[in-house]
Amino acid sequence: MTTVDELVERARAGVHRPGPLEAYRAAAAGALLVDIRPAAQRAREGGIPGALVIERNVLEWRLDPTSGHRVPEATGHGLAVIVLCSEGYASSLAAAGLRELGLYRATDLDGGFLAWAAAGLPTVAGTVEGPEHRSAPAHRTGGNS
């Protein structure tokens, strides 16, 4: 039997997990930032401008480049993907699932959205949009551009 802590540990083994500033720079250079938090959590905590919102329950279908249900951004297995959740636990498991699908550059944001916001990086106020949209760049609540 395996515990959830062991699953997270395995998911992170040998994987570089960028911190907020490194993830910010990677996204500026073309990495796809994917927010998997549920709508209620995004509404409460806020979002990251330009992040693609794909809720966890459909993540693999939307990012598998061979899926008939993929998003346009799912261009190939070499896509650089940085998954984020609130604190960086669920995103580790999600990124591991993406790597199993062949998205070998999938990783997750160390510390999640809360670490991003604490680093003073750009955020947007809580949103109520549905899944699979990009967070709007308007109404910044964070600093450092």
Side-chain angles (χ1 to χ4, degrees), residues 24-62:
Y24 176 79
R25 290 179 179 143
L32 184 62
L33 251 171
V34 179
D35 188 340
I36 64 167
R37 294 173 299 151
Q41 204 166 30
R42 292 191 317 273
R44 185 175 59 251
E45 296 174 351
I48 295 175
L52 179 62
V53 174
I54 303 177
E55 290 190 9
R56 177 66 189 99
N57 63 320
V58 295
L59 181 69
E60 288 83 358
W61 286 270
R62 300 302 184 255

Side-chain angles (χ1 to χ4, degrees), residues 86-104:
S86 186
E87 296 183 36
Y89 294 96
S91 58
S92 290
L93 298 175
L98 294 176
R99 288 191 301 276
E100 286 186 44
L101 287 173
L103 291 150
Y104 60 91

